[in-house]
Amino acid sequence: MFTLGEFMKHLIKLKINEKNYEFRIEPNILLLDLIREQAGLTGTKRGCDTGECGACTVLINGVPVNSCLVLAIETDGKEITTIEGLSNNGKIYSIQEAFVEEGAVQCGFCTPGMILSSKALLDNNPNPTEEEIKKAIAGNLCRCTGYSKIIKAIMSAARKMRGE
Amino acid sequence: MDTYSKVGKSIKRIDIYEKVFGTAKYVDDIKIEGLLYGKIKRSSYSHARIIHIDTSRAEKLKGVIAVVAGKEFAENFDDPLFGNPLSDQPFLASKKVRYIGEPIAVVAAVSQEIAEEAIELIKVDYEQITPSINIKDSLRNETTLIHENLNNYKCLPGFHPINKSNICHHISIENGNTEQGFQESDLVFEDVFTHQSTQHVPIECHGAIAQFNPNGNIQLWTSDQAPYGVRKLIADALKMPESKVRITNATYVGGGFGGKLNLSGLMAIIPIAWKIRYRPVKILLNREEEFIGVTRRHGSIVKLKTGVKNDGTILSRSAEVLLDTGAYADLGPTVLIKAAFGCIGPYKVPNIKVDASCVYTNKSIASAYRGYGVPQVCWAYESQMDIIANKLGIDPLEIRLKNIVEEGYITPTEKQKVHAVGLGECLTKVSEKLSRKKIDKNIKNKKRGFGIACSYKTSKTPSGASAFIKLNFDGGVDIFVSSVEIGQGLNTVLAQIAAEELTTPFDNIRVLSADTEITPFFPATTASRSTFFAGNAVRMAAKDIVEQLFKLASEILNIKKEALALKNGAIFNKDSFDKKITITDLLEQTYPGGNSILGRGTYYHYKEGNIPSHIKLESPPLLVWMYGAQSVEVEVDTETGRITILQVLAASDVGKSINPISCEGQTEGGVLQAIGNTLYEELIYDEKGKIMNTSLLDYKIPSALDMPEINSILVENPHKEGPYGAKGLGETVVLPTAAAIGNALYDAIGVRIKDLPITPDKILRALKEKKK
């Protein structure tokens, strides 16, 4: 016999970082909690729980979202990308590498979300202006760096990805 | 030119790969078997007696393991109060509450959701007392006492809480004769400047895990800036030996800025960990609690009276400083020290008088925040400096250069010699090098202005640090220190220092995160002190290793120790270069079965007049003086009152930049944080003491869209005792920004704002006033 709690659980199937996952979840669980607590991917950070800081940014089918505002159940059948999914077999991803080269990291807590927002931007706009970069990361708050080196890193990653 | 191979180079941060790959661990990433989740029940009133707390319904909720209220814990531990220098704060309020958000009970449950549900079931009966919200009322009103009997609290010597008042520390300083100074002055200026209260807003909220152990020890895993400081706070309050409290830093801290200094916002974890002994419990604050339940920057009122000669020479200055410290002292009294001793500014003033008070109010607690009281007074004295310059018709740079302190000058407040004063250079460079942006002549309602300001701050002395270095058999190096990597790049700096001394590749170095059971003493990662103090300790530990290696090599190579040198990981005869052995070969030949070499370093920096009599120093100690100046270009829209920062040039005297790109990064981030603190950040309290803006939507911090061009200049005036001459930077970069912006605003439109933040409505109001 199912207890009420189990009865209320839903089966969802989704891809996280190109791997197939199945979770039996309660309908009110947030994507952030699913990623951190059930998938064990702690690179996605919790900063405010209200979609204001951007630390929990992940990509759903390539679109950046605050995972603290998304119900996990809505991601059934979708593809999620987290910071752990960017590098392939330990090979550093171009944007990560640019953040390293430009020194665009301090405490590091906003970094995963910042990199994912940058990826979404560059996937759609390989040649962004500085203003477009600022807009793309406006939802990712950073209290340490003053953004300058982050913007430089995104510019530099874009150049590299364009083969310049 | 120096010949360092690692120091002074923009080496990539040691933690950067972990951070860009998302594997860097913060407190919320720690998983412990059997972990419970804690949630704090907070006070709904700013001043009230607790009549009764009913936790029975919460206790019955399925999944709740325990609930603890203040009384039970207080009775068991003989009314424990924590706080340093003044122990005035309970872990949980049991008799009365003093601010909205004060912890009164804690729930531990099997999940966060259940813990949150449970605290709603706790019923508290209060009897309200008239609160004292406004600092001036609090200062005058002796009927509403926030702490009835200040004399009963344990207090460090040198601190002066005034009994039967709301003043938890008072400072008066006098030097020369200010009255006579004012009489001899050609002009006397008197202005009042206020600074609002702001919040640190680290992107990572406060969090900790605590566990009582059957052997009587307590362990905490924390996100904090001062593991040894937190340990002392807990141990002192519970009257137990410090060594029985173990604080393990959760590897990385997601931003500190002073807010995670002593974990006072999370002390409620101790009662619940005690109650559920011996299971571990985690409390992670949410963003709202981050605003109401942890410390903030002091709001302040600074009254400044300055007498000058017509040529701009300052003759006399008196200052009254009021800091609104909220419901508990926390570090307010020591913040007051920095504000009081720093309020004269980096100027030669023969006659000074300071009267400073740290005042309780029924508001959330104010404590350390990047700058430690100096941003408040710098806003005052640097704004007034331009008022004076303007009245006398003297150039703002010139009047500053005329009055700034010079090497060897003994300051009237600290009565200590200034040293390594790169202030003139900072001021000159920011004034020269900021090239104004091109103006679009078609826009009529936009005016541009230029402003400068400068400041100084001392680091903390006396203060010290110890470090161990373990040199492994393969040449790898592990550094053990208790200063904390909070984003500032400290671990990289320490690794550079060790790599420099041991002439080993940077990749060979690891820096352990602080753990009071493993890493040696460091008081606190504050006061921009880590590079100076921990840096010196690491350098000494590395030199200790080199000394030991020379001893071993001298036997194997059969050469006198004194004739040996170390380069690129090999020891050789420095005169003839004929004999050589690598460190790894040396260890292998000395310890065939393997071994490590342990280096020790202890550095202590005294303060003149404060040196134990048996300590003999080669030369008198020199305080760690940090200087900086900034210039700002602003554009003001006279129709909307909107102020746009076009560019900032920030120069800081860092003594010696160990990692220039890190210094640059800290400057850019610090200046932007200061811009937020100047233009829009403000904790807004209602008349009952409730903070009205407790989300990042309502309390705006700068986003990428708010970022002006910020450039940094690193001035290097080596400090005699700094590692390679280095001193701190983290705070210098936030000090002059507000005044520089205020001065630029005046330059642009001729109005002077004296209360922060400088908002569009204040600008429009001031413009209206001016027209009259």
Side-chain angles (χ1 to χ4, degrees), chain A residues 28 33 36-37 40-55 83-88 90-93 95-97 99-112 114-115 130-131 133-152, chain B residues 12-13 15-17 19-26 28-31 37 113 198-205 252-255 257 282 284 286-288 369-370 485-488 661-662 664-670 672-673 676-677 681 695-699 701-708 710:
Chain A
N28 61 347
D33 291 312
R36 284 184 57 83
E37 308 301 330
L41 298 168
T42 55
T44 305
K45 298 300 177 202
R46 180 192 308 276
C48 69
D49 278 323
T50 46
E52 292 151 13
C53 78
I83 190 71
E84 290 89 347
L86 295 189
S87 51
N88 200 351
K91 192 180 175 297
I92 193 164
Y93 176 64
I95 300 177
Q96 290 170 315
E97 192 172 23
F99 271 59
V100 170
E101 293 302 323
E102 298 294 336
V105 174
Q106 287 186 35
C107 86
F109 205 78
C110 74
T111 308
M114 199 67 89
I115 289 175
E130 194 177 312
E131 275 314 300
I133 292 175
K134 285 182 177 180
K135 271 186 194 148
I137 60 165
N140 294 84
L141 296 177
C142 170
R143 194 61 156 165
C144 301
T145 67
Y147 304 102
S148 165
K149 297 199 188 305
I150 293 174
I151 292 163
K152 271 189 201 155
Chain B
K12 282 172 203 155
R13 293 177 66 105
D15 53 2
I16 200 158
Y17 285 101
K19 287 178 173 175
V20 300
F21 277 90
T23 61
K25 292 284 177 265
Y26 302 82
D28 194 27
D29 304 331
I30 297 175
K31 300 274 184 275
Y37 298 83
E113 296 70 34
T198 56
Q199 229 280 334
H200 313 77
V201 195
I203 306 302
E204 178 205 35
C205 296
Y252 294 116
V253 173
F257 318 114
K282 169 157 84 179
L284 185 73
N286 63 28
R287 188 53 69 181
E288 187 189 4
Y369 182 179
R370 201 174 192 172
E485 175 57 68
I486 56 173
Q488 80 282 49
I661 197 172
S662 262
E664 240 179 70
Q666 247 195 337
T667 303
E668 291 158 3
L672 190 61
Q673 198 174 104
N677 270 252
E681 292 181 40
S695 73
L696 293 170
L697 207 61
D698 298 324
Y699 184 105
I701 66 165
S703 80
L705 295 170
D706 305 302
M707 187 202 91
I710 299 168

Side-chain angles (χ1 to χ4, degrees), chain B residues 333-562:
Chain B
T334 54
V335 173
L336 185 77
I337 293 177
K338 288 289 179 210
F341 284 81
C343 70
I344 300 304
Y347 300 114
K348 290 176 286 187
V349 186
N351 306 293
I352 65 114
K353 192 174 177 182
V354 179
D355 183 278
S357 299
C358 192
V359 184
Y360 287 126
T361 55
N362 288 112
K363 298 208 288 268
S364 61
I365 305 162
S367 189
Y369 182 179
R370 201 174 192 172
Y372 219 84
V374 179
Q376 290 91 328
V377 294
C378 179
W379 161 241
Y381 64 68
E382 282 302 271
S383 293
Q384 197 186 51
M385 203 56 161
D386 264 38
I387 295 175
I388 296 168
N390 190 265
K391 182 84 183 173
L392 295 176
I394 304 176
D395 179 74
L397 172 66
E398 195 188 310
I399 193 167
R400 285 176 173 83
L401 291 177
K402 190 179 187 74
N403 287 289
I404 56 171
V405 296
E406 290 148 2
E407 182 75 33
Y409 175 76
I410 294 172
T411 60
T413 51
E414 293 95 349
K415 305 207 170 53
Q416 302 269 325
K417 249 182 212 166
V418 301
H419 168 60
V421 192
L423 185 56
E425 196 178 336
C426 287
L427 271 167
T428 313
K429 282 193 166 155
V430 297
S431 306
E432 271 171 6
K433 292 200 173 169
L434 192 93
S435 55
R436 310 285 291 266
K437 304 234 173 194
K438 274 199 190 125
I439 298 179
D440 181 351
K441 294 227 168 89
N442 296 321
I443 310 169
K444 293 228 165 56
N445 55 331
K446 291 196 176 169
K447 306 276 184 224
R448 296 224 174 140
F450 170 82
I452 59 168
C454 65
S455 191
Y456 84 112
K457 186 181 176 294
T458 54
S459 188
K460 175 112 169 86
T461 40
S463 179
S466 289
F468 296 134
I469 295 183
K470 177 161 69 75
L471 174 66
N472 298 310
F473 207 56
D474 66 347
V477 174
D478 298 312
I479 300 176
F480 295 68
V481 287
S482 295
S483 49
V484 181
E485 175 57 68
I486 56 173
Q488 80 282 49
L490 172 74
N491 284 1
T492 310
V493 160
L494 299 181
Q496 282 178 269
I497 291 174
E500 181 71 47
E501 295 299 326
L502 297 169
T503 70
T504 190
F506 183 73
D507 289 352
N508 266 351
I509 318 273
R510 276 156 301 280
V511 185
L512 270 80
S513 66
D515 183 333
T516 56
E517 221 160 82
I518 299 169
T519 54
F521 181 79
F522 188 74
T525 303
T526 58
S528 310
R529 77 175 115 180
S530 293
T531 296
F532 190 92
F533 294 95
N536 267 329
V538 165
R539 192 180 190 196
M540 289 163 82
K543 282 179 187 285
D544 182 33
I545 287 197
V546 173
E547 185 64 23
Q548 293 179 55
L549 292 174
F550 281 1
K551 201 169 159 229
L552 298 176
S554 117
E555 284 160 22
I556 284 185
L557 299 177
N558 201 15
I559 304 171
K560 269 195 204 152
K561 229 171 58 180
E562 295 68 35

Side-chain angles (χ1 to χ4, degrees), chain B residues 152-334:
Chain B
N152 286 357
Y153 294 139
K154 201 175 89 188
C155 182
L156 284 186
F159 289 88
H160 312 290
I162 299 173
N163 208 33
K164 302 291 170 201
S165 83
N166 287 319
I167 299 171
C168 67
H169 186 33
H170 177 261
I171 297 171
S172 359
I173 313 167
E174 205 168 348
N175 199 27
N177 184 334
T178 44
E179 280 317 310
Q180 197 183 326
F182 291 133
Q183 278 166 22
E184 289 166 10
S185 297
D186 293 321
L187 278 169
V188 175
F189 296 81
E190 215 170 329
D191 301 280
V192 177
F193 299 91
T194 58
H195 194 301
Q196 84 283 32
S197 186
T198 56
Q199 229 280 334
H200 313 77
V201 195
I203 306 302
E204 178 205 35
C205 296
H206 282 60
I209 297 170
Q211 184 173 21
F212 274 62
N213 291 319
N215 56 14
N217 293 346
I218 310 174
Q219 171 150 28
L220 283 99
W221 293 264
T222 63
S223 171
D224 82 83
Q225 298 175 230
Y228 275 87
V230 172
R231 176 165 99 151
K232 186 172 166 49
L233 271 189
I234 296 171
D236 285 358
L238 302 185
K239 301 175 189 75
M240 62 192 284
E242 276 182 53
S243 295
K244 280 183 167 287
V245 181
R246 177 179 185 177
I247 312 287
T248 302
N249 246 103
T251 312
Y252 294 116
V253 173
F257 318 114
K260 290 175 183 161
L261 175 48
N262 58 8
L263 223 63
S264 57
L266 273 174
M267 283 298 186
I269 200 169
I270 298 295
I272 192 66
W274 165 75
K275 176 87 182 194
I276 58 165
R277 57 196 181 276
Y278 300 104
R279 288 185 73 171
V281 59
K282 169 157 84 179
I283 298 182
L284 185 73
L285 300 189
N286 63 28
R287 188 53 69 181
E288 187 189 4
E289 291 175 293
E290 193 69 24
F291 281 104
I292 63 171
V294 305
T295 56
R296 57 182 171 89
R297 171 166 280 159
H298 288 85
S300 64
I301 303 173
V302 178
K303 189 173 165 189
L304 212 55
K305 186 174 174 185
T306 306
V308 293
K309 294 299 253 181
N310 279 331
D311 68 356
T313 309
I314 305 176
L315 276 192
S316 190
R317 173 166 275 177
S318 68
E320 284 172 43
V321 179
L322 289 179
L323 294 186
D324 176 353
T325 211
Y328 294 97
D330 213 88
L331 290 160
T334 54

